[in-house]
Amino acid sequence: MAGTVHTEAYSKLLKALLEVRREAGLSQAQLAKKLGKPPSFVGKYEVGERRLDVIELLFILRVCERESYNFIKFIESQLPDRL
């Protein structure tokens, strides 16, 4: 798969989302249930097999009780100079 899914920046996003889920005390299956998705949904995006769109990201942050603004600012601070 080509594109930004294999970039260092996207890897940092996925790592941060994994931490968000763990800090919320949720397993992949628990998060998936709260999102109304199969457990494979969480597993696949966490390992980079599936890309997330912005709406999905916002729902994940909401379910994990994380402020989207702060999360986005953190990710933005981790971005390299180019894709």
Side-chain angles (χ1 to χ4, degrees), residues 43-59:
K44 286 183 178 183
Y45 82 69
E46 284 189 352
V47 297
E49 289 181 20
R50 183 191 186 288
R51 286 188 58 85
L52 288 174
D53 68 28
V54 174
I55 300 303
E56 292 167 335
L57 173 63
L58 294 174
F59 270 96

Side-chain angles (χ1 to χ4, degrees), residues 26-81:
L26 298 171
S27 68
Q28 288 181 347
Q30 290 169 324
L31 176 56
K33 185 174 182 178
K34 289 178 175 279
L35 293 169
K37 297 286 187 180
S40 62
F41 174 84
V42 176
K44 286 183 178 183
Y45 82 69
E46 284 189 352
V47 297
E49 289 181 20
R50 183 191 186 288
R51 286 188 58 85
L52 288 174
D53 68 28
V54 174
I55 300 303
E56 292 167 335
L57 173 63
L58 294 174
F59 270 96
I60 291 164
L61 294 172
R62 179 190 292 170
V63 166
C64 292
E65 298 179 358
R66 198 67 174 278
E67 284 287 330
S68 56
Y69 176 80
N70 293 334
F71 182 82
I72 298 295
K73 290 301 287 180
F74 171 74
I75 295 301
E76 183 180 29
S77 75
Q78 303 296 307
L79 290 177
D81 293 333

